[in-house]
């Protein structure tokens, strides 16, 4: 029976018994978004079990879970996973033991057709009621009912003596007989045996007690049922699979890994473990990202990064080079499309997120592994079996190896890592990071700011209502010191008691303008920063003299401020449009609002299509043309949250917040300056879109006159292209497409011609015999590396298992080399990778590859004759000394 059918039948069966079907929770629990959901049942329905909140008397669900505590067993044992699905049926003061036991037997034997003779059960030693139900109602012989103690048949295990406190109770487990071929052969082999013949498939927990801190078990106000059935394990039993990873939903993943690695699943146990683990991790990674988790260095993001990078390293150990894990994402989506269509819908974005993270790790993996090798070698030389924590931290910090991954790698050498040393290095780095975070405004934090704080609790900002205002100079700073006055030409930082100048924050740049005063004082303000609520006006004294206590007028550059306001209000409209086009997961991850442009970073796993970009741009412009009012309100934080306002990424909020509403389009927390209505924004154009991090995209755009100029420049460029093509501008795209297609056709024909010429040249070269091997070595002219490799493999087929083909060519002014070796030599005597490395030294290059095929490149094309002349000798040497590299 297919896995998805098992899930569907389970939910339908218990729904027919009156249970409410509860959808699976996200892998990110709502009560703690830093974690991942690790289990179903009691955690999910704790209030119902305690009788605190009863919305319904019975429920059924299939819950996604992530657990990494026993990650080392994944791929090794038949049934361990990092992500799994837990089927459950629950009663909160409704049905109890009799119904739970009878319905479980009915589902197993009638609904999904398990042979009753293949089932045995266990009950708690004290649970006479459950024992009697299995014997009387179900008809099981006493020999098929085992009585076990607190460790095996109480949930949580050993709870009566060891805890934890809370809902608990005895349980009854159902076991499936996989067959004698999986057993130990002993006559007494049964459900308590350590062999893998008997598999627990369902745990029926009779949650009837509340354990108190004193260890007493007090009956709950109501008797409850909490059951758990591992979906993958159940499917494996029904499908006769040797392991959970051999069931239908994993087979396409394992097969793809086998194909990518050129290995045969089932041939070598070591390879099988890696293939199964990659398949498991690929599914876990896909579902985590689908539920909003992104790779990070802490909390749930770290779990995701660890799984992803572990799978990449496993792939490398299987011989897969380059990024590959992302290619499994669509297969996961297709396998799980019926119960989780949202995963398949997001597959393209998830795939891009995985690919970016793979590329990041692959860029450092070789150097990281080399560092491990050095550390292991040094430890062996010093007769130590512990790798210094500092080395492990360098792996973590510089090369992106999660600690646990580094621990696994060194464990293969029989060593461990100095964990306290690693933690100390990590703490030191965090402290440095905290210090670095304080560097902005360092002069003021370390020097005059302390004195300034004695003069002001913070600058009063007037800029929401005006662009010019009077203020009093509280402090004049030159360099790192408070001064009594500053003269013309002096760079200064001024602190006023109140100001219309906006200090950079929330992604919006600071204002510029003038501060003027008596005595022809003019200070040109070039930037305004905000530190601890104090606005720091950075500028230069152009004339006059400025000193503390002086009454001045602060004048913001109104034209520049207007451009900033246009861009900031548009950023809100852009956020709204993105959420409409790509979904609510397009959360803001950063922004930059300046007078000349706006930049918006948002969560999304894939590049926006042209159609999506066009839709986003049009939605923003529709909002602009609507001339929607922009309204700001000051609200208590909790009230603002309840209003539905969106809190922005990375911002900290006080007890009272400013909420900006733009028509019916957008409601966000925001302290920036905005338009009064949208029409004066004029227009909006997107300049570009790019990736800035794994799962984070960036849009850049312009508004107002800048948008008009951008459109005009695009039109001028199109006109210039049309003139070159000698067609009207409206036909330029079509004509360019025709010309491009023709160019591709010509390039294809040229490539075919060059390949044919290379094949002709090769046919004229005679085979040499070198130490029993048949060698074909030739310069085949000017063809690309791919075609050169194809030609080498083609030529090898005519030489047999003891053949060696060495082909050289020139490709775009560089030397290229391809080596193919027959199976009879590649298995030990002469590996293609070893031969190509030796030959590549002649052309000033390098390369590598597999035992049967390798390629190299170099810059010295004039050395190709020398390389080919040296090939027979090099091959002979390699055949005589196969261990030498």
């Amino acid at each position: 029976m297919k896995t998805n059918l098992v899930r569907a039948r389970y939910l339908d069966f218990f729904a027919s018994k009156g249970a409410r079907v509860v959808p699976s929770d996200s892998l990110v629990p709502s009560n703690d978004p830093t974690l991942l959901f690790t289990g179903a049942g009691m955690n999910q329905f704790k209030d119902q079990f305690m009788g605190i909140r009863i919305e319904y008397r019975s429920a059924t669900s299939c819950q996604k879970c992530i657990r990494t505590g026993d990650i080392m067993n994944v791929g090794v044992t038949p049934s361990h996973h990092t992500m799994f699905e837990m089927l459950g049926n629950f009663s909160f003061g409704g049905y109890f033991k009799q119904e739970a036991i009878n319905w479980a037997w009915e589902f197993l034997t009638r609904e999904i057709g398990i042979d009753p003779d293949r089932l045995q059960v266990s009950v708690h030693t004290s649970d006479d009621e459950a024992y009697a139900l299995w014997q009387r109602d179900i008809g099981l012989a006493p020999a098929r009912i085992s009585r076990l103690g607190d460790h095996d048949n109480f949930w949580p295990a050993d709870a009566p003596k060891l805890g934890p406190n809370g809902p608990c109770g005895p349980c009854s487990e159902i076991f499936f007989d996989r067959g004698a071929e999986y057993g130990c052969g002993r006559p007494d082999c049964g459900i308590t045996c350590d062999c893998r013949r008997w598999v627990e498939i369902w745990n029926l927990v009779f949650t009837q007690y509340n354990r108190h801190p004193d260890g007493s078990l007090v009956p709950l106000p109501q008797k409850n049922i909490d059951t758990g059935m591992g979906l993958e394990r159940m499917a494996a039993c029904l499908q006769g699979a040797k392991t959970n990873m051999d069931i239908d939903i994993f087979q396409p993943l394992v097969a793809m890994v086998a194909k990518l690695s050129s290995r045969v699943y089932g041939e070598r146990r070591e390879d099988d473990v890696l293939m199964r683990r990659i398949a498991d991790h690929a599914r876990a990674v896909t579902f985590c990202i689908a539920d909003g988790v992104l790779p990070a260095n802490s909390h749930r993001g770290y779990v995701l990064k660890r799984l992803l990078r572990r799978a990449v390293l496993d792939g490398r150990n299987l011989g897969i080079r380059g990024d590959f894990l992302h290619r499994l994402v669509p297969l996961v989506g297709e396998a799980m499309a019926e119960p989780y269509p949202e995963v398949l819908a997001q597959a393209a974005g998830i795939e891009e997120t995985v690919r970016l993270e793979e590329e990041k790790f692959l860029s450092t993996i070789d150097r990281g592994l080399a560092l491990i090798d050095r550390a292991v070698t040094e430890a062996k030389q010093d007769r130590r079996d512990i790798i210094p924590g500092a080395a492990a931290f360098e792996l973590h910090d510089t090369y992106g190896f999660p600690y646990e991954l580094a621990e696994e790698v060194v464990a293969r050498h029989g060593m461990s890592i100095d964990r306290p040393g690693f933690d100390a290095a990590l703490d030191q780095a965090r402290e440095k990071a905290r210090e670095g975070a304080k560097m902005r405004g360092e002069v003021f934090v370390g020097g005059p700011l302390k004195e300034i704080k004695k003069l002001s609790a913070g600058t009063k900002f007037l800029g929401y209502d005006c662009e010019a205002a009077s203020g009093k100079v509280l402090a004049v700073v030159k360099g790192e010191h408070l001064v009594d006055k500053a003269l013309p030409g002096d760079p200064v930082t001024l602190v006023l008691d109140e100001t219309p100048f906006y200090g950079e924050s929330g992604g919006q740049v600071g204002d510029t303008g003038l501060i003027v005063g008596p005595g022809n004082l003019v200070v040109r303000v070039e930037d305004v920063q905000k530190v601890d609520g104090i606005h720091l006006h950075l500028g230069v004294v152009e004339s006059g003299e400025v000193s503390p206590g002086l009454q001045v007028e602060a004048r913001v550059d109104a034209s520049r401020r207007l451009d900033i306001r246009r861009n900031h209000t548009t950023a809100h409209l852009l956020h709204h449009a993105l959420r409409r086009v790509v979904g609510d997961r397009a959360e803001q991850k950063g922004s930059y609002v300046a007078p000349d442009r706006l930049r918006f970073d948002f969560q999304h796993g894939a590049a926006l299509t042209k159609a999506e970009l066009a839709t986003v741009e049009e939605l923003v412009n529709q909002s602009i043309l609507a001339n929607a009012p922009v309204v700001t309100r000051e609200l208590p934080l909790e009230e603002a949250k309840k209003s539905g306002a969106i809190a922005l990424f990375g911002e900290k909020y006080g007890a009272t917040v400013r909420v900006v509403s733009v028509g019916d389009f957008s409601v966000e927390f925001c302290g920036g300056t905005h338009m009064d209505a949208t029409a004066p924004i004029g227009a909006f154009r997107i300049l570009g879109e790019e990736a800035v991090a794994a799962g984070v995209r960036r849009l850049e755009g312009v508004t107002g006159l800048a948008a008009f100029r951008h459109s005009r420049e695009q039109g001028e460029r199109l006109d210039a292209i049309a003139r070159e093509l000698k067609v009207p501008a409206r036909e330029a795209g079509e004509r360019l497409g025709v010309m491009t297609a023709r160019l591709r056709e010509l390039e294809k024909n040229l490539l075919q011609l060059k390949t044919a010429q290379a094949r002709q040249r090769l046919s004229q070269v005679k085979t040499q015999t070198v130490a029993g091997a048949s060698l074909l070595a030739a310069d085949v002219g000017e063809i690309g590396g791919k075609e050169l490799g194809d030609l080498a493999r083609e030529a090898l087929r005519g030489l047999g298992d003891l053949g060696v083909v060495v082909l050289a060519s020139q490709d775009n002014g560089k030397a290229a080399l391809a080596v193919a070796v027959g199976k009879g030599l590649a298995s030990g005597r002469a590996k293609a990778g070893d031969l190509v490395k030796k030959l590549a030294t002649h052309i000033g290059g390098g390369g590598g590859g597999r035992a049967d095929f390798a390629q190299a490149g170099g810059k010295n094309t004039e050395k190709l004759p020398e390389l080919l002349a040296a090939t027979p000798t090099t091959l002979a040497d390699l055949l005589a000394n196969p261990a030498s590299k």
Side-chain angles (χ1 to χ4, degrees), residues 493-783:
T493 298
L494 302 184
V495 178
L496 310 182
D497 61 345
E498 51 188 27
T499 182
F501 281 86
Y502 184 85
E504 182 171 340
S505 59
Q508 178 176 324
V509 299
D511 283 325
T512 63
L514 300 175
I515 293 177
V516 299
N520 197 31
L521 170 66
V522 177
V523 177
R524 182 164 299 279
V525 179
E526 299 171 342
D527 188 19
V528 180
Q529 296 291 320
K530 188 165 72 171
V531 179
D532 293 347
I534 296 174
H535 289 229
L536 308 172
H537 304 74
L538 288 73
V540 177
V541 180
E542 292 193 342
S543 63
E545 179 181 303
V546 62
S547 58
L550 199 63
Q551 199 70 26
V552 296
E553 184 176 354
R555 302 172 183 171
V556 173
D557 183 334
S559 176
R560 182 177 180 274
R561 163 76 77 84
L562 179 58
D563 288 337
I564 293 172
R565 291 167 60 202
R566 284 192 179 101
N567 286 336
H568 203 151
T569 301
T570 302
H572 285 219
L573 296 176
L574 177 58
H575 191 190
H576 168 75
L578 284 166
R579 290 169 74 93
R580 281 190 59 184
V581 172
V582 302
D584 290 342
R585 286 186 60 231
E587 297 175 1
Q588 181 174 341
K589 294 298 181 184
S591 67
Y592 178 75
V593 178
D596 58 332
R597 68 190 186 283
L598 66 95
R599 194 173 68 208
F600 192 87
D601 298 344
F602 61 101
Q603 179 178 318
H604 190 53
L608 297 185
T609 64
K610 288 183 179 180
E612 287 173 331
L613 286 170
T615 302
V616 168
E617 191 174 70
E618 186 168 328
L619 285 172
V620 173
N621 280 296
Q622 286 176 358
S623 301
I624 291 171
L625 291 173
N627 196 25
V630 180
V631 179
T632 61
R633 294 174 294 162
E634 299 277 344
L635 296 174
L637 178 60
E638 291 306 314
E639 183 180 340
K641 288 180 178 178
K642 291 177 182 177
S643 74
I646 299 173
L648 300 188
F649 171 80
E651 288 294 301
K652 294 181 180 179
Y653 300 101
T656 302
V657 296
R658 189 167 181 264
V659 176
V660 177
S661 304
V662 186
D664 297 327
F665 312 122
S666 167
V667 185
E668 296 188 13
F669 290 23
C670 186
T673 58
H674 286 273
M675 304 296 290
D676 297 321
T678 58
I681 293 172
F684 168 69
R685 291 300 308 274
I686 293 174
L687 298 182
E689 190 252 10
E690 62 181 352
V692 292
V696 180
R697 309 294 302 180
R698 171 173 292 170
L699 276 179
E700 191 164 333
V702 289
T703 62
L705 281 175
F708 166 74
R709 294 188 189 107
H710 175 71
S711 297
R712 183 181 63 196
E713 290 167 3
Q714 280 191 319
E716 290 172 350
R717 284 193 290 270
L718 178 59
D719 288 341
I721 292 171
R723 284 195 299 272
E724 287 293 320
L725 297 175
K726 296 181 172 56
V727 295
R730 64 179 179 276
E731 298 176 9
E734 183 179 350
R735 174 61 63 87
L736 195 57
V738 171
M739 294 178 68
T740 302
R742 177 59 178 156
L743 179 60
R744 289 198 190 101
E745 184 181 352
L746 291 172
E747 289 174 340
K748 179 180 178 182
N749 292 340
L750 179 60
L751 180 60
Q752 290 174 345
L753 177 61
K754 286 184 175 181
T755 303
Q757 290 173 339
R759 191 175 283 111
Q760 176 63 26
R761 293 181 66 168
L762 184 60
S763 68
Q764 299 172 5
V765 178
K766 294 182 178 180
T767 303
Q768 307 174 54
T769 300
V770 178
S774 298
L775 169 65
L776 183 61
D779 183 340
V780 295
E782 295 185 7
I783 60 172

Side-chain angles (χ1 to χ4, degrees), residues 38 329 383 477 503 529 812 861:
T38 58
V329 171
R383 296 187 177 182
V477 181
Q529 296 291 320
N812 293 322
T861 57

Side-chain angles (χ1 to χ4, degrees), residues 249-264:
I249 59 174
F250 285 113
Q251 283 179 341
L253 305 181
V254 173
M256 175 59 81
V257 177
K259 179 181 178 182
L260 293 172
S261 63
S262 299
R263 308 287 175 99
V264 178

Side-chain angles (χ1 to χ4, degrees), residues 818-835:
V819 175
V821 177
K823 293 181 180 178
L825 299 174
S827 60
R829 295 181 63 199
K831 291 181 170 56
D834 297 339
L835 182 56

Side-chain angles (χ1 to χ4, degrees), residues 95-104 129-130 133 136-138 206 225:
Y95 66 83
F96 197 47
K97 291 182 185 180
Q98 183 173 14
E99 294 88 344
I101 288 173
N102 278 274
W103 289 346
E129 181 184 2
L133 287 167
R136 184 189 68 235
D137 288 18
I138 306 303
F206 311 126
I225 294 294

Side-chain angles (χ1 to χ4, degrees), residues 137-247:
D137 288 18
I138 306 303
L140 291 184
R144 295 172 64 188
I145 310 171
S146 300
R147 287 183 180 267
L148 303 176
D150 290 346
H151 184 72
D152 295 298
N153 275 85
F154 204 94
W155 188 258
D158 296 311
K161 293 181 180 178
L162 305 179
N165 299 323
C168 60
C171 63
S172 181
E173 296 183 327
I174 305 174
F175 294 83
F176 176 83
D177 182 3
R178 299 174 70 206
E181 64 270 26
Y182 292 97
C184 57
R186 296 201 309 265
D188 60 344
C189 179
I191 64 173
T192 59
C193 187
D194 291 334
C195 73
R196 290 172 176 167
R197 175 175 178 174
W198 292 92
V199 177
E200 180 226 322
I201 56 173
W202 206 342
N203 187 8
L204 314 179
V205 181
F206 311 126
T207 311
Q208 59 193 86
Y209 301 114
N210 183 25
R211 187 186 192 276
H212 285 201
D214 62 1
S216 60
L217 299 179
V218 178
L220 287 167
Q222 58 189 27
K223 294 180 178 180
N224 310 294
I225 294 294
D226 172 15
T227 79
M229 174 195 287
L231 174 62
E232 295 83 1
R233 186 179 296 186
M234 186 74 258
C237 292
L238 291 170
Q239 295 173 24
K242 289 184 178 180
T243 76
N244 289 10
M245 301 306 299
D246 295 313
I247 63 176

